[in-house]
Amino acid sequence: MTALLEIRSVAVRFGGVMALSGVDLDVQKDSITGLIGPNGAGKTTLFNVICGIRQPTTGVVLLDNKEINGVPTQKRSAMGIGRTFQRLELFTTLSVFDNVLVAAELARVSNPHAVAREQIELLGLTDRTDTIAGELPTGSARLLEVARALAGRPRLLLLDEPASGLDDVETQQLGVLLQQLKSLGITVLLVEHDMSLIMKVCDQIHVLDLGNVIASGTPDQIQHNPSVIDAYLGAVR
Amino acid sequence: MQQLVAYTIIGLTTGAIYALASSGLLVTYVTSGVFNIAHGAIGMIAAFSYWQVRFEWGWSAPVALIAILGVLCPTLGLVIDRVALRGLAQATEVTRLTATVALMAAFIGIATWIWPPENRQPFRGFFDGNNVSVLGVNVGWNKIIALIAAIAVAVGLRILLYKTRLGIQMRAVVDDRSLAELNGARPARIASASWALGASLAGLAGILLAAEVQLNVVPLTLLVINAYAAAIFGRLKSLPLTFLGAMALGLTEAYLLWGQGQSWFPETIGGFSTAGLRQATPTIFLFLLLMLLPQAKLRAGAARVRERSAIPQWNIAILGAAVLVISSIAVTGMMTRSNTIYLIQALIMALAVVSLVPLTGYAGLVSLAPLTFAGIGAVLMSKMPGDGNIVSLIAVVVVVALIGAVVALPALRLEGIYLALATGAFALLVSILVFNQGKIFSNGVAEVPPLRIPGVDLSQPRPKAIFLSVAFAVVGLLLVALRRSSLGRQFVAMKDSPLAGATLGMNLVRTKALAFAMSAAIASLAGALDAGKVAPDNYTFDRSLPILLLAIVSGVGSIGGAFFGGMLLGSNTVLASIVPSITNITRVTPGLIGLSMGRNPNGTASQIATGFRPVTSHPQSLLTALSGIGALWLLTSVDIISHWGFFAALVIWGLGIVPNLPALAVTSGRSRVLCLLIAAVGMGIAAFFDDIFEAVPTGGRLLAIIVLFVVVGNAIRRIHTPVAPTTKSSPDLMGLTGFTPEELSQSDRAIKVVP
Ligand SMILES: Nc1ncnc2c1ncn2[C@@H]1O[C@H](COP(=O)(O)OP(=O)(O)O)[C@@H](O)[C@H]1O
Ligand SMILES: [Mg+2]
C-alpha cells in the first residue's frame, strides 16, 4: 500500500482559533478513509487545505509524494482532486444536467455530454436531469454534488458529509456507490456523522478533535478506542 | 512660501471634508456590510436642502443645521436601511450594489427635479466673508469649521466606539455578528443606527463641500469617489488610516492646483492636456488603491442566487430576431423622420443594455462603464482610416474588447464590489482625462462615419434604424449561442459559485476577463454604429447608471429583457422631448424601478416572456397571433388603419391579447364571449387611435397605448381561467420560488391555511 495523500504537520489558525494544530495523516491509494470528529473539529478546514482554498499556516500537503502547497485551487482538479461541499455549493441556477456538464467540460473529457449523463445515472438523478439545481431537496442536492465531483474524473474524492439529508435507503445506496468507486480506483476521503455508514465502508479512520488527530485505525480499533468514545462516539450514541 | 502655506491649508480643509464623508461611509459599511454607492448623493441632497432652508427660506444657520443633519439625514438613512435594503440581505452582491446605484440615480433625479439647474442664489459658507489669519494667510471660516468638524468627528467617533454601549455593540457586530447576537446585541438595530449616523456625516460633508464648490448635482454626488478612495486607504476598517488617506488626497489635490499655476508644470504630456489631472486625482487614487488590494479570497457560502434566466431556445430566438427585423422594416416605413431618429436612439440604448447580458446577466459581474466602452468605440471609429469600412468596424470591436480585458484584468483579482467600483473609476477617468482632450473630441464633437455597405445609405434614418435592428438581432443570436455553449455555462456557474468553479478547474480571472471583453465589444457597437456627430456627454458615468439599472430591472439574463430595457430608455427620451413635464418623472423612474427589484428578481420582461411561453408551444395560438399581425399590416398598407393606429393595435394585440390566446382556446361560454368583446374593444380603440387621440401629443399617446394594453390584458386574464403553470413562483423576499402547486397546497394544509 502506498499513500496517495499525505498531510504533514498542517496547522491552520483563524485569528485566535487553531482550527488545525499540526495534523498528520495519510490516505492510502484505493481506500475509503473516514475522517470523523465533533463539529468544529477542523474537518472542513482540512478539506479546504487539501483543495488549496486555504493555505496552511504551517505544514505541507503531499499528493503522490509531491508537495502541492503552492498549487492554486483551479489546478488541483487536473491533479485529480475532487470534492463536495458541506454547505452546498451547487450552481443553483443551472439544471442538474448542466451542473455536471460544466464539471465534465472543465475537466476536458472527450465526450462531456456522455460523461455527465453517466454520472447522473450513477447517482440516481436521471428523473431530475432538467430540474434547476437550486430547487432540489437537500438529499438530491448532496447527491448532485457527488455526481458533479465525479464528472471531474478525480483520483481522490473528498466527500464532506454527503449523507446528511439522505434517508436510510439513499444512505445505503451511497454506501454501495462508495464501494463501487473504490473498485474503479477512486480513493475516497469521507467526512460523515453517520457512524454506521462510516464503520461499514471505511478501511481506515482518522479521528479529529479540536484540530488534533486523536486516533487512527481500522473501524474496529476506532470503535473500541476509549479516548474516541470519550471525545466523540459517546456523544453520538 | 506664503503660497505653499495657503495651498496646504486648502488641502487640509478639503481633506477634512473627505474625511467626514469617508468616516460616514465606513461606519455604515462595517456595521451593515452594504457598500453605499449613494453616499455622496445623500450629501448632495443634504447640501441642496440646507441651501433651501438657509438661503431661500432664511432660517438661521443653527436651526438649518439641526433640521438637515439632525432630522432629514438620519431619517433618510433609516428609510434607506429599513425600506430599500433590508429585504435584500440575502440577495446577491450584484443586487445589493444595484439597489444603492438605483438610490443614487433616484437621488440625482429628485434633486434635478426639485432644484433644476438655473441661476440661483449662491451657497455661502459659514460666517461668509469673515476670515481668520493663519500664518499670514487669510482663511475663510468655512474652511476652519471643516477642520474643526473633522477633528470633532474623529474624537466623537472614537468616544462613541470605545466608550458607549452602542459603539461597543457596533464593534462587536463588526467582529462577529452571530456572537454579538448571542450576547444580546441586535445587528439590525445597530445597522439602522449606523445608517442614520453615516447619512448625517455625509450631509455634513456635503454642506461643507457645497460652500467650496457651489451647488451642482453630479460633482457633489461624486464626493462618494473621494470617500471611497479614503475608506479603501483605511482598508475599509481603520478610521485613523481613513482620515490619513483623506488628508493625503486633499493635499495632493491642493498641491496639483498650485502646481498647475506654476511655469514649470507641463501643460501637455505627449500632446495630451494635463488640465483634468486635479479633477481626476481622487479617481486615480481610488483606482491605484484598488489595484493594490490583495487578491480576493475564495469564500464559501455565497449568497443564494435568486436571479435566474432560462436558457434561450434557438427556435424562439430565431423567431424573435426575424420579428424584430421585419417589424423594424415595417414600422420605419410608416414612421416620420423624427420618430425614426428616436427609434435609432432606442436601438443604440438597446445595444448598450444588451452588452451587460454576458457580463451581468450570465457572469454576475457589474460594470458601471458600458457607455464608456461605447464612447471608446465611437472615438476609434471616427479616427479609423477607411471611412466606415467594415474592416475598420471589426478592428474597432476587437480593440475595444482588448481594452475591456486589459482594463478589467488588474481589477479581476477583486471581489465583485471592488470590481464594480474599479469600473466606475475607469469610466470617470476616461471621461475626465481622455474624452475631454481636444485631440479626441475636437471642439467637443467627433464625427462617426456611417458604415459603408454597398447599395445602402446608412446616413439616412430609415436604413440606419433597420440596420441597427439587424445588428441587434445578430448580437442577440450570438449571445444565444454563447449562453448555450460551454463558455456560457461557465459564466453562469461562476456567478452561482466561484468556489465550486475553481475547485472544478475553472480559471476565474480568465473567465471574468472574457466576460468583460465580450461585454466591451458589444458596447463598442453602440458607439461605432451610431453614425453622425457625437459628443463626450453621451458617454458619461452618470448616463451609464440608468443603463445598468434598466438592464437589471428588465431582466439582464435575457436578451428580450435587454431589448425591452433599451426601448424603455429610448421611449424615455421620446417622452422627455415631447412632454417636458414627464421628464422629471422619467428621470426618477429608473431609480425607483431599481428599488422595486427586491420584489421581482427576474424583471418585467421575463414576466412577459412567461406569458408568451404557452403561446409558442401552442401552434394554433401562434398561428392566430401571427395572422393577426399580418392582418394589421395589410389593413395599414391599404390605408384603412393609420400609422399610429397600427402601432397601438400591434402593442395591444401582441402584449395584451396574444399571451391570453392559449387560455381563450379552452375557455367557453359567457366568459369567452366577454373576453372576445374586451379584445375587440381594445383593438377598436387602437384602430381609430388617430381620431380618438387627435389632440394628444406623442408622449400622451404612448402612455395611452401602455395603459390600454395593460388594461385589456389584465381584464381578459381576470375573466378566463388561467392555464395552470407547471411551477408557481412566489417572487417574495425570501426567494422561495419554484414550488409545484401540490407542494404549495401540501404546505398550506400543513400550516392549516386551508382545511
Ligand atoms: N473562515 C473561518 N474563520 C474563522 N474561523 C473559522 C473559519 N472556518 C472555520 N473556522 C473555525 O475553525 C474550526 C473548525 O471548523 P471546521 O473545519 O468547519 O470544523 P468541522 O468541519 O470539523 O465541523 C471551528 O472552530 C470554526 O469555528
Ligand atoms: Mg464541516
Side-chain angles (χ1 to χ4, degrees):
Chain A
M1 281 269 246
T2 48
L4 176 61
L5 178 77
E6 296 161 74
I7 310 290
R8 293 283 167 264
S9 15
V10 162
V12 171
R13 175 196 291 280
F14 292 117
V17 181
M18 289 299 283
L20 296 173
S21 31
V23 167
D24 279 284
L25 59 84
D26 288 356
V27 175
Q28 301 299 329
K29 217 170 231 154
D30 299 335
S31 75
I32 299 179
T33 302
L35 182 62
I36 61 174
N39 279 326
K43 306 178 294 289
T44 300
T45 305
L46 185 63
F47 271 22
N48 287 343
V49 169
I50 299 170
C51 293
I53 293 166
R54 190 162 290 286
Q55 284 303 312
T57 314
T58 59
V60 289
V61 178
L62 301 142
L63 187 73
D64 283 332
N65 295 319
K66 281 194 292 283
E67 187 190 317
I68 57 168
N69 273 26
V71 179
T73 304
Q74 78 262 17
K75 295 217 171 120
R76 295 195 189 197
S77 76
M79 304 176 85
I81 300 179
R83 80 171 278 187
T84 68
F85 294 88
Q86 179 187 355
R87 277 192 65 181
L88 297 173
E89 288 282 346
L90 290 175
F91 303 134
T92 47
T93 63
L94 290 178
S95 68
V96 165
F97 186 76
D98 281 355
N99 264 269
V100 187
L101 181 59
V102 165
E105 284 169 342
L106 283 168
R108 302 216 168 80
V109 298
S110 57
N111 189 346
H113 285 261
V115 169
R117 221 166 292 125
E118 197 181 306
Q119 305 308 331
I120 287 172
E121 203 179 309
L122 192 62
L123 272 294
L125 292 168
T126 312
D127 288 349
R128 304 214 180 237
T129 306
D130 295 324
T131 311
I132 298 296
E135 293 171 0
L136 289 175
T138 322
S140 310
R142 294 229 174 264
L143 296 178
L144 176 56
E145 285 253 352
V146 179
R148 187 179 65 180
L150 285 172
R153 290 283 158 90
R155 288 186 296 150
L156 172 64
L157 180 62
L158 312 174
L159 300 175
D160 203 344
E161 305 197 9
S164 71
L166 299 192
D167 61 28
D168 287 350
V169 179
E170 287 171 326
T171 307
Q172 206 173 354
Q173 286 167 347
L174 181 68
V176 175
L177 173 72
L178 293 181
Q179 304 282 10
Q180 216 175 325
L181 294 178
K182 177 176 151 185
S183 67
L184 290 171
I186 297 176
T187 307
V188 177
L189 180 57
L190 176 64
V191 166
E192 190 41 69
H193 286 304
D194 184 329
M195 280 309 121
S196 61
L197 175 66
I198 285 277
M199 296 303 168
K200 200 156 52 189
V201 300
C202 290
D203 304 300
Q204 183 82 14
I205 298 174
H206 302 288
V207 186
L208 212 54
D209 186 30
L210 296 173
N212 293 295
V213 179
I214 57 168
S216 297
T218 62
D220 210 38
Q221 291 165 340
I222 295 297
Q223 263 169 319
H224 298 102
N225 184 319
S227 60
V228 176
I229 294 171
D230 255 15
Y232 182 48
L233 291 183
V236 170
R237 279 183 188 151
Chain B
M1 189 58 215
Q2 189 87 346
Q3 262 198 346
L4 212 59
V5 173
Y7 278 101
T8 306
I9 290 172
I10 291 177
L12 287 176
T13 47
T14 325
I17 295 172
Y18 296 165
L20 287 170
S22 55
S23 59
L25 190 67
L26 200 62
V27 167
T28 38
Y29 175 67
V30 293
T31 47
S32 69
V34 174
F35 242 69
N36 184 15
I37 301 273
H39 192 71
I42 297 175
M44 179 270 294
I45 292 280
F48 272 95
S49 311
Y50 178 82
W51 172 83
Q52 182 76 42
V53 297
R54 174 83 180 85
F55 301 110
E56 289 288 282
W57 297 347
W59 296 10
S60 73
V63 175
L65 276 180
I66 290 171
I68 304 302
L69 300 183
V71 182
L72 179 75
C73 286
T75 314
L76 217 52
L78 284 177
V79 168
I80 294 174
D81 177 48
R82 285 284 152 113
V83 180
L85 301 177
R86 188 56 54 85
L88 296 173
Q90 298 300 317
T92 56
E93 215 170 28
V94 171
T95 310
R96 266 183 295 160
L97 180 73
T98 318
T100 66
V101 171
L103 271 177
M104 165 152 122
F107 282 145
I108 292 179
I110 290 170
T112 329
W113 185 354
I114 306 181
W115 299 285
E118 59 191 20
N119 281 335
R120 58 167 76 90
Q121 293 199 39
F123 190 112
R124 280 174 281 120
F126 298 107
F127 308 104
D128 193 40
N130 299 321
N131 293 330
V132 202
S133 175
V134 180
L135 298 173
V137 179
N138 272 340
V139 184
W141 264 106
N142 195 69
K143 292 191 167 53
I144 304 284
I145 286 179
L147 273 173
I148 294 172
I151 294 167
V153 165
V155 174
L157 281 178
R158 172 91 202 168
I159 293 173
L160 173 76
L161 290 176
Y162 286 86
K163 296 279 191 273
T164 68
R165 196 178 148 71
L166 177 69
I168 289 166
Q169 288 187 343
M170 277 184 179
R171 281 169 46 223
V173 170
V174 177
D175 251 19
D176 186 333
R177 206 177 178 88
S178 44
L179 195 64
E181 234 165 314
L182 280 179
N183 288 327
R186 296 209 211 148
R189 203 170 268 200
I190 290 164
S192 296
S194 74
W195 272 95
L197 179 61
S200 287
L201 288 171
L204 180 57
I207 292 171
L208 287 165
L209 189 66
E212 303 289 329
V213 303
Q214 284 307 309
L215 288 173
N216 213 331
V217 171
V218 173
L220 283 176
T221 303
L222 291 181
L223 173 64
V224 73
I225 295 289
N226 309 287
Y228 269 123
I232 287 181
F233 190 79
R235 286 287 166 109
L236 290 173
K237 29 180 203 257
S238 156
L239 266 177
L241 277 180
T242 300
F243 269 74
L244 198 67
M247 290 300 169
L249 187 54
L251 285 172
T252 313
E253 269 191 59
Y255 291 141
L256 261 176
L257 185 65
W258 173 69
Q260 279 174 339
Q262 306 296 310
S263 53
W264 48 261
F265 199 86
E267 264 179 39
T268 57
I269 297 174
F272 287 98
S273 153
T274 57
L277 216 50
R278 186 182 65 84
Q279 204 193 342
T281 313
T283 321
I284 297 174
F285 240 67
L286 178 62
F287 206 67
L288 290 181
L289 284 171
L290 285 171
M291 297 304 111
L292 293 176
L293 279 181
Q295 169 98 39
K297 286 211 175 70
L298 281 168
R299 274 193 313 198
R304 187 176 158 190
V305 179
R306 293 188 300 163
E307 299 86 351
R308 79 156 196 259
S309 52
I311 300 176
Q313 303 297 319
W314 273 122
N315 50 356
I316 296 177
I318 291 171
L319 186 73
V323 168
L324 170 63
V325 172
I326 292 170
S327 49
S328 80
I329 293 172
V331 166
T332 51
M334 301 182 281
M335 275 182 160
T336 61
R337 196 183 162 89
S338 64
N339 276 343
T340 311
I341 290 170
Y342 288 132
L343 178 66
I344 288 173
Q345 284 179 3
L347 286 166
I348 294 285
M349 285 297 140
L351 275 173
V353 176
V354 87
S355 78
L356 292 174
V357 166
L359 188 71
T360 312
Y362 299 166
L365 303 168
V366 171
S367 166
L368 302 178
L371 284 186
T372 307
F373 290 114
I376 297 175
V379 166
L380 287 178
M381 194 66 188
S382 74
K383 305 281 176 210
M384 215 28 111
D387 195 29
N389 197 315
I390 188 100
V391 181
S392 324
L393 179 70
I394 294 169
V396 167
V397 171
V398 171
V399 170
V400 177
L402 286 176
I403 295 177
V406 168
V407 166
L409 215 48
L412 289 177
R413 306 169 306 114
L414 307 173
E415 285 179 86
I417 207 99
Y418 297 101
L419 183 58
L421 267 185
T423 59
F426 170 70
L428 283 171
L429 278 184
V430 172
S431 269
I432 300 170
L433 291 182
V434 182
F435 287 171
N436 275 350
Q437 302 285 343
K439 266 190 163 180
I440 306 288
F441 282 93
S442 20
N443 298 324
V445 284
E447 179 92 39
V448 180
L451 203 61
R452 267 193 290 132
I453 301 176
V456 186
D457 181 7
L458 287 183
S459 61
Q460 290 305 309
R462 185 175 180 210
K464 187 177 170 186
I466 296 172
F467 174 73
L468 282 173
S469 54
V470 172
F472 186 92
V474 170
V475 167
L477 290 175
L478 287 174
L479 283 173
V480 171
L482 170 68
R483 178 59 187 82
R484 299 178 66 87
S485 74
S486 167
L487 184 62
R489 278 189 287 276
Q490 287 187 33
F491 282 173
V492 179
M494 177 171 71
K495 172 178 71 180
D496 287 352
S497 172
L499 183 63
T503 315
L504 291 166
M506 186 188 297
N507 183 334
L508 296 178
V509 170
R510 182 179 149 269
T511 313
K512 287 185 195 171
L514 275 172
F516 256 99
M518 289 180 185
S519 173
I522 298 171
S524 77
L525 289 178
L529 295 183
D530 191 11
K533 285 193 168 57
V534 292
D537 271 0
N538 297 359
Y539 308 112
T540 53
F541 171 69
D542 50 308
R543 289 211 179 189
S544 280
L545 299 183
I547 301 241
L548 174 68
L549 288 178
L550 272 170
I552 290 191
V553 166
S554 51
V556 76
S558 84
I559 295 146
F563 186 76
F564 191 74
M567 288 299 130
L568 273 183
L569 273 175
S571 46
N572 245 6
T573 45
V574 177
L575 291 179
S577 62
I578 293 163
V579 196
S581 58
I582 292 185
T583 327
N584 291 320
I585 298 168
T586 56
R587 224 180 246 144
V588 184
T589 324
L592 295 183
I593 305 178
L595 289 178
S596 69
M597 216 160 34
R599 310 215 153 261
N600 179 14
N602 290 320
T604 318
S606 76
Q607 282 181 335
I608 294 180
T610 327
F612 278 124
R613 222 163 280 150
V615 182
T616 45
S617 55
H618 190 256
Q620 197 191 332
S621 305
L622 193 60
L623 203 66
T624 316
L626 293 176
S627 357
I629 293 172
L632 283 177
W633 172 229
L634 212 69
L635 287 173
T636 314
S637 53
V638 295
D639 271 343
I640 294 179
I641 301 180
S642 72
H643 294 171
W644 266 104
F646 173 76
F647 180 54
L650 196 66
V651 171
I652 295 168
W653 176 251
L655 299 180
I657 299 173
V658 165
N660 291 303
L661 285 176
L664 278 177
V666 295
T667 332
S668 56
R670 199 187 292 165
S671 51
R672 182 188 176 115
V673 175
L674 205 56
C675 289
L676 292 179
L677 207 66
I678 294 173
V681 170
M683 296 302 285
I685 296 178
F688 295 101
F689 196 85
D690 260 351
D691 305 314
I692 301 172
F693 293 90
E694 203 179 345
V696 182
T698 310
R701 290 178 173 209
L702 287 175
L703 220 61
I705 292 174
I706 293 172
V707 170
L708 268 171
F709 106 71
V710 172
V711 168
V712 168
N714 278 312
I716 297 179
R717 199 164 304 131
R718 284 284 153 79
I719 295 168
H720 69 64
T721 36
V723 174
T726 43
T727 60
K728 254 186 206 161
S729 63
S730 73
D732 62 356
L733 293 174
M734 307 289 290
L736 298 173
T737 52
F739 290 97
T740 63
E742 294 87 292
E743 278 171 327
L744 282 178
S745 59
Q746 244 170 31
S747 73
D748 283 351
R749 267 196 298 279
I751 55 175
K752 301 203 171 54
V753 177
V754 288

